[in-house]
Amino acid sequence: MPGGRPRAFDAETALDRALEVFWRQGYEGTSLSELTAAMGINRPSLYGAFGNKEQLFRTVLDRYFTSPGAFAVEALEAPTAREVVERLLLGAVELTTGPHTPHGCLSVNSVHACGPDSDPVRQEVIARRMAGEAALRRRFEQAADLPADCDPRVLAQLVYTITDGIAVQAASGHTREQLRQVAAMALRTLFQLPS
């Protein structure tokens, strides 16, 4: 028995376009009409390929964390805690101020701009962010270049707080150069480096 009709669109391209819309407008700020227009497909095609809006958003999150946000996982491979933090801070600046991407951070926007009806989406984003913070804590627990009195859990929370702040500042119009200066000062302060 033959399968269904082949898709008349490129699913990867459509997913990239959905990512951009969600990134720019947040989950709640994005309508199905805006998604289908950006993706170049109709609603039945969207539902057939990606499920409903929430399922599409979860797929977009996967893509976000493994493509533009992949620097966060890659940073954990750096040989020292200082280099891990440097890569995370500078990666956050690059991600949130990119010339060809929306300013700000998809996950930060999605956590803060979801009402009660979208709580499952908010909880999904929070869970993914908590998993990233836990991975960072584990990496700091293995770091030989941190002082003995440094609490890896608190340091991981602090680094996430700074990267979230970078995302908020980027969405507010701060430039890449301004945020690189913030990242450099944060790094000097955290690791007590000379200016």
Side-chain angles (χ1 to χ4, degrees):
M1 185 169 174
R5 197 169 23 151
R7 289 186 183 139
F9 66 93
D10 181 314
E12 297 300 309
T13 300
L15 196 55
D16 284 338
R17 291 177 180 164
L19 168 58
E20 184 174 342
V21 175
F22 279 127
W23 191 346
R24 187 176 312 285
Q25 299 178 189
Y27 178 77
E28 278 200 348
T30 300
S31 70
L32 282 173
S33 297
E34 290 167 322
L35 285 168
T36 55
M39 296 167 78
I41 60 177
N42 59 29
R43 284 187 189 204
S45 294
L46 185 148
Y47 294 137
F50 303 107
N52 63 22
K53 178 182 170 184
E54 185 176 324
Q55 291 167 319
L56 172 61
F57 185 76
R58 289 173 193 269
T59 303
V60 161
L61 280 178
D62 291 338
R63 194 169 196 86
Y64 181 77
F65 286 118
T66 58
S67 190
F71 74 90
V73 172
E74 294 164 3
L76 299 178
E77 302 300 321
T80 65
R82 183 194 179 284
E83 289 176 84
V84 169
V85 173
E86 181 176 31
R87 290 181 189 186
L88 285 171
L89 296 181
L90 293 177
V93 171
E94 297 304 307
L95 175 70
T96 61
T97 62
H100 304 295
T101 58
H103 287 186
C105 172
L106 174 65
S107 69
V108 171
N109 294 343
S110 298
V111 166
H112 298 293
C114 275
D117 291 343
S118 301
D119 196 56
V121 167
R122 183 174 179 271
Q123 292 305 320
E124 172 74 19
V125 175
I126 289 171
R128 290 177 188 231
R129 291 171 56 77
M130 295 301 290
E133 190 175 304
L136 183 57
R137 175 189 45 80
R138 289 190 299 273
R139 175 62 185 87
F140 287 154
E141 288 170 350
Q142 301 167 356
D145 62 320
L146 291 176
D149 63 347
C150 179
D151 184 333
R153 180 187 58 81
V154 174
L155 181 58
Q157 287 177 334
L158 178 58
V159 170
Y160 260 65
T161 299
I162 295 168
T163 58
D164 285 357
I166 287 170
V168 170
Q169 295 285 52
S172 299
H174 286 75
T175 67
R176 178 173 285 187
E177 186 52 40
Q178 288 171 324
L179 293 175
R180 281 181 178 156
Q181 291 172 5
V182 168
M185 180 176 283
L187 194 63
R188 283 195 308 270
T189 303
L190 287 173
F191 291 91
Q192 300 177 347
L193 300 173
S195 7

